[in-house]
Amino acid sequence: MKKLLIGFAAGAVLGILYAPAKGIKTRKKIAGIGNDMKEKWNDVTDCIADRIDRIRDGIDEVADKAMEKVEATQFETGTV
């Protein structure tokens, strides 16, 4: 994913640099591409963070159920 973003950015910058335009317009275009990439990167990292949170919640739920079963078994066998 990282290589894809780097390749996209490099291609976009080179394309803009070789296109005939005034310097200020070119710099604005490059800045716009940088901002777009930053937004997309933030979206990707937010998505990953959300998935990690869901996985963590799932693990917590499984652990809680396992503890309940252990405690119930201990209570039934009188080892508590």
Side-chain angles (χ1 to χ4, degrees):
M1 182 72 164
K2 185 176 178 181
K3 289 181 183 180
L4 178 68
L5 289 174
I6 291 171
F8 172 75
V13 169
L14 286 175
I16 290 171
L17 290 176
Y18 284 105
K22 290 184 178 184
I24 192 161
K25 288 183 180 180
T26 301
R27 287 189 294 274
K28 284 183 180 181
K29 286 181 184 179
I30 292 171
I33 289 172
N35 288 336
D36 290 345
M37 289 189 64
K38 181 180 175 185
E39 273 185 40
K40 289 179 183 179
W41 181 254
N42 288 339
D43 291 344
V44 168
T45 56
D46 289 345
C47 181
I48 291 169
D50 289 343
R51 287 183 183 188
I52 290 171
D53 286 342
R54 285 196 306 265
I55 290 169
R56 186 180 299 133
D57 291 343
I59 291 170
D60 287 345
E61 186 177 322
V62 169
D64 288 344
K65 287 181 181 179
M67 286 302 296
E68 288 173 6
K69 287 183 180 182
V70 167
E71 289 171 354
T73 303
Q74 288 177 343
F75 180 73
E76 289 174 2
T77 60
T79 58
V80 177

